[in-house]
Short mmCIF file of all heavy atoms in Angstrom, two decimals:
data_model
loop_
_atom_site.label_atom_id
_atom_site.label_comp_id
_atom_site.label_asym_id
_atom_site.label_seq_id
_atom_site.Cartn_x
_atom_site.Cartn_y
_atom_site.Cartn_z
N PRO A 59 -0.32 -0.12 -11.00
CA PRO A 59 -0.25 0.64 -9.74
C PRO A 59 1.18 0.92 -9.31
O PRO A 59 2.08 0.09 -9.53
CB PRO A 59 -0.96 -0.27 -8.74
CG PRO A 59 -1.89 -1.09 -9.57
CD PRO A 59 -1.19 -1.31 -10.88
N SER A 60 1.37 2.06 -8.70
CA SER A 60 2.72 2.50 -8.34
C SER A 60 3.34 1.67 -7.22
O SER A 60 4.54 1.80 -6.95
CB SER A 60 2.70 3.97 -7.92
OG SER A 60 1.81 4.15 -6.83
N ARG A 61 2.56 0.83 -6.58
CA ARG A 61 3.13 -0.01 -5.53
C ARG A 61 4.05 -1.10 -6.10
O ARG A 61 4.81 -1.72 -5.35
CB ARG A 61 2.04 -0.65 -4.67
CG ARG A 61 1.12 -1.61 -5.39
CD ARG A 61 0.07 -2.15 -4.43
NE ARG A 61 -0.87 -3.09 -5.08
CZ ARG A 61 -1.95 -2.71 -5.72
NH1 ARG A 61 -2.26 -1.43 -5.80
NH2 ARG A 61 -2.75 -3.62 -6.28
N PHE A 62 3.99 -1.32 -7.41
CA PHE A 62 4.88 -2.28 -8.06
C PHE A 62 6.13 -1.56 -8.57
O PHE A 62 6.03 -0.55 -9.27
CB PHE A 62 4.18 -2.96 -9.24
CG PHE A 62 3.06 -3.87 -8.86
CD1 PHE A 62 1.76 -3.41 -8.83
CD2 PHE A 62 3.30 -5.20 -8.53
CE1 PHE A 62 0.71 -4.24 -8.47
CE2 PHE A 62 2.26 -6.05 -8.17
CZ PHE A 62 0.96 -5.56 -8.15
N SER A 63 7.30 -2.09 -8.23
CA SER A 63 8.54 -1.51 -8.74
C SER A 63 9.55 -2.62 -8.97
O SER A 63 9.48 -3.70 -8.37
CB SER A 63 9.10 -0.48 -7.76
OG SER A 63 9.44 -1.11 -6.54
N GLY A 64 10.49 -2.33 -9.87
CA GLY A 64 11.52 -3.30 -10.17
C GLY A 64 12.90 -2.69 -10.03
O GLY A 64 13.08 -1.48 -10.18
N SER A 65 13.86 -3.56 -9.74
CA SER A 65 15.24 -3.12 -9.61
C SER A 65 16.17 -4.28 -9.96
O SER A 65 15.73 -5.43 -10.09
CB SER A 65 15.53 -2.63 -8.19
OG SER A 65 15.37 -3.69 -7.26
N GLY A 66 17.43 -3.94 -10.10
CA GLY A 66 18.42 -4.97 -10.34
C GLY A 66 19.29 -4.70 -11.54
O GLY A 66 19.04 -3.80 -12.34
N SER A 67 20.33 -5.49 -11.64
CA SER A 67 21.26 -5.42 -12.75
C SER A 67 22.06 -6.71 -12.79
O SER A 67 22.02 -7.50 -11.83
CB SER A 67 22.20 -4.22 -12.60
OG SER A 67 22.98 -4.36 -11.43
N GLY A 68 22.77 -6.91 -13.90
CA GLY A 68 23.60 -8.11 -13.99
C GLY A 68 22.79 -9.38 -13.93
O GLY A 68 22.01 -9.68 -14.83
N THR A 69 22.96 -10.13 -12.85
CA THR A 69 22.27 -11.41 -12.69
C THR A 69 21.13 -11.37 -11.68
O THR A 69 20.35 -12.33 -11.61
CB THR A 69 23.26 -12.51 -12.25
OG1 THR A 69 23.83 -12.14 -11.00
CG2 THR A 69 24.37 -12.70 -13.29
N ASP A 70 21.02 -10.33 -10.88
CA ASP A 70 20.05 -10.31 -9.78
C ASP A 70 19.00 -9.21 -9.92
O ASP A 70 19.36 -8.02 -10.02
CB ASP A 70 20.75 -10.15 -8.45
CG ASP A 70 21.59 -11.37 -8.10
OD1 ASP A 70 21.15 -12.48 -8.44
OD2 ASP A 70 22.67 -11.21 -7.52
N TYR A 71 17.74 -9.60 -9.90
CA TYR A 71 16.62 -8.69 -10.11
C TYR A 71 15.56 -8.91 -9.06
O TYR A 71 15.38 -10.04 -8.57
CB TYR A 71 16.05 -8.87 -11.52
CG TYR A 71 17.08 -8.56 -12.57
CD1 TYR A 71 17.98 -9.53 -13.01
CD2 TYR A 71 17.20 -7.27 -13.08
CE1 TYR A 71 18.96 -9.23 -13.93
CE2 TYR A 71 18.18 -6.96 -14.00
CZ TYR A 71 19.06 -7.95 -14.42
OH TYR A 71 20.04 -7.65 -15.33
N THR A 72 14.84 -7.82 -8.74
CA THR A 72 13.82 -7.87 -7.71
C THR A 72 12.57 -7.14 -8.15
O THR A 72 12.65 -6.05 -8.72
CB THR A 72 14.34 -7.21 -6.40
OG1 THR A 72 15.49 -7.92 -5.95
CG2 THR A 72 13.27 -7.24 -5.32
N LEU A 73 11.44 -7.77 -7.90
CA LEU A 73 10.14 -7.11 -8.03
C LEU A 73 9.63 -6.85 -6.62
O LEU A 73 9.55 -7.77 -5.81
CB LEU A 73 9.15 -7.99 -8.78
CG LEU A 73 7.71 -7.45 -8.87
CD1 LEU A 73 7.66 -6.24 -9.80
CD2 LEU A 73 6.75 -8.53 -9.36
N ALA A 74 9.32 -5.60 -6.34
CA ALA A 74 8.84 -5.23 -5.02
C ALA A 74 7.39 -4.76 -5.10
O ALA A 74 6.98 -4.10 -6.07
CB ALA A 74 9.70 -4.12 -4.42
N ILE A 75 6.62 -5.13 -4.10
CA ILE A 75 5.26 -4.62 -3.93
C ILE A 75 5.25 -3.91 -2.60
O ILE A 75 5.47 -4.54 -1.55
CB ILE A 75 4.22 -5.75 -3.97
CG1 ILE A 75 4.40 -6.62 -5.22
CG2 ILE A 75 2.81 -5.16 -3.94
CD1 ILE A 75 3.46 -7.82 -5.30
N SER A 76 5.00 -2.60 -2.61
CA SER A 76 5.23 -1.79 -1.42
C SER A 76 4.20 -2.05 -0.32
O SER A 76 4.53 -2.03 0.86
CB SER A 76 5.23 -0.31 -1.78
OG SER A 76 3.98 0.04 -2.35
N SER A 77 2.97 -2.29 -0.69
CA SER A 77 1.92 -2.55 0.29
C SER A 77 0.93 -3.51 -0.36
O SER A 77 0.08 -3.10 -1.14
CB SER A 77 1.22 -1.26 0.70
OG SER A 77 0.18 -1.53 1.62
N LEU A 78 1.08 -4.76 -0.03
CA LEU A 78 0.33 -5.80 -0.73
C LEU A 78 -1.17 -5.64 -0.56
O LEU A 78 -1.67 -5.43 0.56
CB LEU A 78 0.76 -7.17 -0.22
CG LEU A 78 0.23 -8.33 -1.04
CD1 LEU A 78 1.15 -8.56 -2.24
CD2 LEU A 78 0.12 -9.59 -0.20
N GLN A 79 -1.88 -5.73 -1.67
CA GLN A 79 -3.33 -5.70 -1.67
C GLN A 79 -3.88 -7.10 -1.94
O GLN A 79 -3.21 -7.90 -2.59
CB GLN A 79 -3.84 -4.73 -2.73
CG GLN A 79 -3.33 -3.31 -2.57
CD GLN A 79 -3.75 -2.70 -1.26
OE1 GLN A 79 -4.94 -2.64 -0.94
NE2 GLN A 79 -2.77 -2.26 -0.46
N PRO A 80 -5.09 -7.39 -1.47
CA PRO A 80 -5.65 -8.74 -1.71
C PRO A 80 -5.71 -9.10 -3.19
O PRO A 80 -5.53 -10.27 -3.55
CB PRO A 80 -7.06 -8.63 -1.10
CG PRO A 80 -6.93 -7.59 -0.04
CD PRO A 80 -5.94 -6.59 -0.59
N GLU A 81 -5.91 -8.08 -4.05
CA GLU A 81 -5.99 -8.36 -5.49
C GLU A 81 -4.64 -8.68 -6.12
O GLU A 81 -4.57 -9.00 -7.31
CB GLU A 81 -6.65 -7.19 -6.24
CG GLU A 81 -5.92 -5.87 -6.14
CD GLU A 81 -6.43 -4.99 -5.01
OE1 GLU A 81 -6.92 -5.53 -3.98
OE2 GLU A 81 -6.32 -3.74 -5.15
N ASP A 82 -3.57 -8.60 -5.33
CA ASP A 82 -2.24 -8.93 -5.85
C ASP A 82 -1.94 -10.43 -5.78
O ASP A 82 -0.85 -10.86 -6.18
CB ASP A 82 -1.16 -8.15 -5.09
CG ASP A 82 -1.31 -6.65 -5.25
OD1 ASP A 82 -1.89 -6.21 -6.26
OD2 ASP A 82 -0.85 -5.91 -4.35
N VAL A 83 -2.90 -11.18 -5.25
CA VAL A 83 -2.73 -12.64 -5.25
C VAL A 83 -2.62 -13.12 -6.70
O VAL A 83 -3.54 -12.91 -7.50
CB VAL A 83 -3.91 -13.33 -4.54
CG1 VAL A 83 -3.90 -14.83 -4.81
CG2 VAL A 83 -3.86 -13.05 -3.05
N ALA A 84 -1.48 -13.72 -7.02
CA ALA A 84 -1.17 -14.05 -8.40
C ALA A 84 0.16 -14.80 -8.42
O ALA A 84 0.83 -14.95 -7.40
CB ALA A 84 -1.04 -12.78 -9.25
N THR A 85 0.50 -15.27 -9.61
CA THR A 85 1.85 -15.79 -9.84
C THR A 85 2.62 -14.75 -10.66
O THR A 85 2.07 -14.17 -11.60
CB THR A 85 1.80 -17.13 -10.58
OG1 THR A 85 1.06 -18.07 -9.79
CG2 THR A 85 3.21 -17.67 -10.81
N TYR A 86 3.85 -14.53 -10.26
CA TYR A 86 4.69 -13.51 -10.89
C TYR A 86 5.84 -14.19 -11.62
O TYR A 86 6.54 -15.03 -11.05
CB TYR A 86 5.20 -12.53 -9.84
CG TYR A 86 4.08 -11.71 -9.25
CD1 TYR A 86 3.30 -12.22 -8.22
CD2 TYR A 86 3.77 -10.45 -9.76
CE1 TYR A 86 2.22 -11.50 -7.71
CE2 TYR A 86 2.72 -9.72 -9.25
CZ TYR A 86 1.95 -10.25 -8.23
OH TYR A 86 0.89 -9.52 -7.73
N PHE A 87 6.00 -13.82 -12.89
CA PHE A 87 7.04 -14.41 -13.73
C PHE A 87 8.03 -13.33 -14.18
O PHE A 87 7.63 -12.23 -14.54
CB PHE A 87 6.43 -15.02 -15.00
CG PHE A 87 5.52 -16.19 -14.76
CD1 PHE A 87 4.15 -16.01 -14.69
CD2 PHE A 87 6.03 -17.47 -14.64
CE1 PHE A 87 3.29 -17.09 -14.49
CE2 PHE A 87 5.19 -18.56 -14.44
CZ PHE A 87 3.82 -18.36 -14.36
N CYS A 88 9.30 -13.67 -14.19
CA CYS A 88 10.28 -12.84 -14.87
C CYS A 88 10.55 -13.45 -16.24
O CYS A 88 10.27 -14.63 -16.48
CB CYS A 88 11.55 -12.68 -14.05
SG CYS A 88 12.40 -14.22 -13.61
N GLN A 89 11.11 -12.63 -17.13
CA GLN A 89 11.34 -13.07 -18.51
C GLN A 89 12.54 -12.34 -19.08
O GLN A 89 12.74 -11.16 -18.81
CB GLN A 89 10.11 -12.77 -19.36
CG GLN A 89 10.27 -13.04 -20.85
CD GLN A 89 10.24 -11.79 -21.70
OE1 GLN A 89 9.33 -10.98 -21.60
NE2 GLN A 89 11.22 -11.64 -22.59
N LYS A 90 13.33 -13.02 -19.86
CA LYS A 90 14.49 -12.39 -20.48
C LYS A 90 14.59 -12.76 -21.95
O LYS A 90 14.05 -13.76 -22.41
CB LYS A 90 15.77 -12.79 -19.74
CG LYS A 90 16.16 -14.27 -19.86
CD LYS A 90 16.96 -14.57 -21.13
CE LYS A 90 17.26 -16.08 -21.24
NZ LYS A 90 17.81 -16.43 -22.58
#
Side-chain angles (χ1 to χ4, degrees):
Chain A
S60 58
R61 63 181 180 274
F62 292 94
S63 63
S65 63
S67 63
T69 61
D70 293 325
Y71 298 86
T72 299
L73 175 70
I75 308 177
S76 60
S77 178
L78 190 84
Q79 302 299 304
E81 61 266 29
D82 298 335
V83 167
T85 300
Y86 293 83
F87 295 96
C88 57
Q89 174 247 308
K90 67 85 183 169

